[in-house]
Amino acid sequence: MYNYDLIVFINTYNQKDSIAKAIESVLCQQTAYSFKIIILDDASTDGTSEICKEYEIKYKDKIYHVRQQENTNCLQIHAAYRLIESKYFTFLDGDDYWLGTRKIEKALNILEKNREYTAYCSNGIYHYEEDDIYYEYVENLLHKKFISNKMNFDNFMYVHPASRIYRNIFDFTKEYANLRKRDIYMLYIFLDKGDFYYDKSLTYVYNISPKGIWSGLSIAEKKFAIMYRTFVINKILQYRHNDYFKKEINKTFLNLITSILGKKLGWKIFEKEREKRYLKKFKVEVSKAELKELFNSQKELLRTFNEEET
């Protein structure tokens, strides 16, 4: 028996100018479903923590503020999976916000009536803060006119975390216990379990800042991270969607070695070769310190899953 229908985790660190808007965008939801907001505060030092505490006091039945003693570089999200006491859960960053007042009601109605879906997701707005420009995600940025309500690996497109509401189907103390449950990994492990329901409605605003964790990376760093994530995710899912992930990379070399050596060994050799090439190329664009930090964070994931296999 669950304590709530939905838990909304709000991740924040030093976002005193935007955190209130994120919280209010959830509090204003008009719904018959019960929900709780859990704020995951990564040891903010700019006044964000004080704002969150004020909201917790004012809405003590709705909000629970969890502040880390030390900054964890966003790893406070792991604490969330020990706090899921709901049938559904979702994540919202403290510098983004929801649109409208019916997101929870609509999403949970759909998931309640369609048990085959593992998650709800939707369209949204991307706001480029530096130029103060707003883009509708699917048509303006992806240039897509029609998308089926049923989303799976056959017609998949990336959907932002602020759009997603997950069905609580995993026991994360046992399944994927060592996984760094970041955005893209969560998306794929849920998609592996079943289809997503895609809603064309605009339900969120994603604020893109040059100082953001992902948007602040250089093109070289992004390519490097995507290459490793693609390899790791395919491995996590035991190559069940190998054709999809090969399209993501779309390299003749990968197709050749996997056809000769098999999926697991072929991907491993491909990963090693790409690593060498990327390291050479990135030295021009990324400082040694930045490269070492990025490389080590990705290698830690690979080490974890290599240990699980042995």
Side-chain angles (χ1 to χ4, degrees):
M1 191 68 180
Y2 296 110
N3 294 332
Y4 304 95
D5 293 312
L6 175 72
I7 287 182
V8 181
F9 293 103
I10 298 181
N11 304 308
T12 189
Y13 172 68
N14 284 357
Q15 294 168 327
K16 66 181 178 66
D17 295 328
S18 60
I19 187 62
K21 190 168 187 176
I23 296 171
E24 292 285 354
S25 75
V26 180
L27 285 174
C28 76
Q29 293 296 305
Q30 297 174 9
T31 178
Y33 294 102
S34 61
F35 69 91
K36 190 176 186 69
I37 300 170
I38 298 181
I39 303 172
L40 303 172
D41 180 356
D42 203 12
S44 297
T45 58
D46 69 338
T48 298
S49 299
E50 288 73 14
I51 294 171
C52 294
K53 179 56 68 176
E54 288 176 8
Y55 271 98
E56 182 183 41
I57 294 170
K58 186 176 181 179
Y59 299 96
K60 59 183 178 181
D61 295 330
K62 281 282 187 187
I63 296 177
Y64 178 42
H65 175 219
V66 182
R67 186 182 187 278
Q68 300 296 317
Q69 295 301 311
E70 297 180 356
N71 182 263
T72 66
N73 192 25
C74 295
L75 293 182
Q76 84 274 16
I77 193 172
H78 288 290
Y81 297 93
R82 300 192 300 270
L83 299 171
I84 299 176
E85 303 172 332
S86 56
K87 192 172 184 179
Y88 305 98
F89 65 96
T90 186
F91 291 91
L92 178 66
D93 285 340
D95 54 352
D96 302 329
Y97 58 92
W98 285 353
L99 292 172
T101 61
R102 306 285 292 176
K103 178 182 174 78
I104 292 176
E105 185 73 10
K106 185 175 184 180
L108 268 57
N109 278 343
I110 289 170
L111 292 172
E112 284 289 291
K113 294 175 183 177
N114 301 275
R115 308 262 174 181
E116 70 274 19
Y117 292 117
T118 60
Y120 162 97
C121 62
S122 71
N123 197 5
I125 300 293
Y126 277 43
H127 175 215
Y128 290 82
E129 292 182 339
E130 198 168 27
D131 301 313
D132 196 26
I133 299 174
Y134 293 81
Y135 289 103
E136 184 269 343
Y137 175 55
V138 172
E139 289 195 12
N140 293 160
L141 297 181
L142 298 185
H143 305 294
K144 292 180 180 288
K145 295 296 183 183
F146 172 78
I147 298 171
S148 169
N149 289 129
K150 182 181 289 188
M151 185 183 296
N152 50 43
F153 278 99
D154 293 331
N155 66 343
F156 174 75
M157 68 172 182
Y158 176 80
V159 283
H160 193 269
S163 83
R164 303 176 218 151
I165 293 182
Y166 296 109
R167 191 185 298 279
N168 188 2
I169 58 175
F170 290 107
D171 180 356
F172 286 111
T173 63
K174 298 175 182 177
E175 300 174 274
Y176 303 110
N178 295 321
L179 177 64
R180 290 188 179 186
K181 300 172 186 67
R182 300 280 179 89
D183 161 31
I184 196 69
Y185 300 108
M186 292 296 293
L187 190 158
Y188 280 120
I189 65 172
F190 273 85
L191 197 63
D192 177 56
K193 286 293 186 181
D195 297 337
F196 282 20
Y197 182 94
Y198 171 74
D199 177 8
K200 65 180 181 180
S201 303
L202 301 173
T203 71
Y204 68 91
V205 173
Y206 167 42
N207 287 307
I208 303 172
S209 164
K211 298 179 182 179
I213 294 173
W214 176 256
S215 54
L217 296 177
S218 69
I219 293 175
E221 288 174 307
K222 288 178 181 177
K223 287 182 178 179
F224 185 81
I226 289 170
M227 184 269 290
Y228 269 104
R229 288 174 184 177
T230 302
F231 170 76
V232 171
I233 292 165
N234 198 14
K235 187 174 181 180
I236 292 169
L237 300 182
Q238 300 179 348
Y239 308 95
R240 286 189 290 273
H241 309 283
N242 191 55
D243 289 342
Y244 169 81
F245 288 109
K246 283 203 300 185
K247 289 178 186 177
E248 287 290 283
I249 294 182
N250 194 23
K251 297 295 180 181
T252 303
F253 175 61
L254 174 62
N255 294 333
L256 178 63
I257 60 175
T258 53
S259 65
I260 296 173
L261 300 175
K263 296 175 186 176
K264 291 187 178 181
L265 185 56
W267 270 86
K268 197 168 188 65
I269 291 174
F270 172 78
E271 176 260 329
K272 292 294 183 184
E273 287 298 314
R274 293 291 287 173
E275 175 187 309
K276 292 176 185 176
R277 296 179 190 179
Y278 272 102
L279 287 175
K280 288 179 182 178
K281 179 181 177 181
F282 288 3
K283 283 180 181 177
V284 179
E285 301 184 51
V286 186
S287 71
K288 286 185 177 180
E290 292 172 327
L291 184 61
K292 185 176 180 181
E293 181 179 354
L294 181 64
F295 178 71
N296 286 340
S297 67
Q298 299 296 334
K299 291 300 288 183
E300 177 64 20
L301 283 172
L302 294 177
R303 183 191 65 75
T304 300
F305 292 108
N306 281 332
E307 287 179 354
E308 288 181 357
E309 281 194 351
T310 57

